[in-house]
Amino acid sequence: MKYHTIANTDLHVSNLIMGNMRLTELSLQEAEKLIRTAMEEEINFFDHADIYGPDYVGQCEEYFANAIQMNSSLREKMVIQSKCGINAAKNYYDFSKKHIIDSVNGSLERLKTDYLDLLLLHRPDPLMDPEEIAEAFNELQSSGKVRHFGVSNHNPAQIQLLEKYINQKLVVNQVQFSIAHTPIIDSGISLNMGIDQAVNRDSSVLEYCRLNDITLQAWSPFQNGFFEGPFLGDKEKFGKLNEVIDRIASKYSVTNTAIAVAWITTHPANIQVVLGTTNIQRMKDASKGSEIKLTREEWYDIYKAAGNMVP
């Protein structure tokens, strides 16, 4: 497993993350086995959000702690991240001080821990007051409840607005990124061309985060579009892509899952890959991609096979 240190922190983390959004689809015993498998594969980073859970707020956080029988010894081996800012019951965003602090307190109770290594603001709230967010962050940090802060799905201007007021460095931005969903690369590679691929949909967030030492995390690394289904194995819609991935997987003696991971981790930005799988074998397969460094030719062959143009 490849590790790196998140800039401006002391967090030494695996480049693969176990995501827990769908954990409750498993029994408690199956969930424990999945978590322990991740740890056996040397994944030390676990991603949560207060809204994850089909039945009630925080269900997946609670399920995670119960499944693993969380204790101080286990906690020391984990980097735990959670997200807040979405009012799931009423479907709106809430970056108020009260919501942020209440969300963290709830997450800590459910996860059976005294602190979060990272807290991310989940999706941009157009009504956010950055000075109020600063108050919340200061209170959470001074109390020891949150060590570091970041965002999810934020563009550079939104990050700059927050950092004008908060005292903490935002160290992570979690964005959607996979072989079949590449807006953070597309506009840069086709600059100034009159084609759809050249449309800048993300305000150059990849370059901004690299310039400002913000670690990117890729969610839905195996998905096509916004939860439109996996591209791996979909030979009707992604025939050429699967053909190329399978050829490269054969060369490295790994599965297609490992190559989908390696395509992201090969990028020099040290992007972490959030694995949302509940399948133990897929977790093991993905882990084999952690240290594979694709050649430039292989990386571009995959990018082109997904339907992208290299001018």
Side-chain angles (χ1 to χ4, degrees), residues 70 177 197:
M70 182 65 78
F177 184 47
Q197 183 178 308

Side-chain angles (χ1 to χ4, degrees), residues 14 22 39 42 47 87 101 112 189 225 230 257 268 277:
S14 52
R22 298 167 52 216
M39 297 179 75
E42 300 184 330
D47 175 72
N87 185 315
I101 290 175
K112 298 180 181 178
I189 205 170
T257 300
T277 185

Side-chain angles (χ1 to χ4, degrees), residues 194-209:
I195 58 175
D196 183 66
Q197 183 178 308
V199 176
N200 190 333
R201 294 179 169 86
D202 69 312
S203 305
S204 303
V205 70
L206 171 62
E207 291 78 12
Y208 178 86
C209 287

Side-chain angles (χ1 to χ4, degrees), residues 195-238:
I195 58 175
D196 183 66
Q197 183 178 308
V199 176
N200 190 333
R201 294 179 169 86
D202 69 312
S203 305
S204 303
V205 70
L206 171 62
E207 291 78 12
Y208 178 86
C209 287
R210 294 184 74 184
L211 283 166
N212 290 276
D213 296 324
I214 297 172
T215 294
L216 284 168
Q217 297 174 347
W219 60 267
S220 284
F222 310 123
Q223 284 283 328
N224 159 41
F226 192 68
F227 300 114
E228 293 172 24
F231 58 85
L232 291 175
D234 184 351
K235 297 190 177 180
E236 181 177 344
K237 189 172 182 180
F238 295 98

Side-chain angles (χ1 to χ4, degrees), residues 4 26-27 32 89 127-128 166 206 230-231 241 262 273 279 292:
H4 74 273
L26 304 174
S27 69
E32 179 185 12
L127 300 180
M128 70 177 176
I166 64 175
L206 171 62
F231 58 85
L241 176 59
V273 180
N279 182 291
I292 293 175

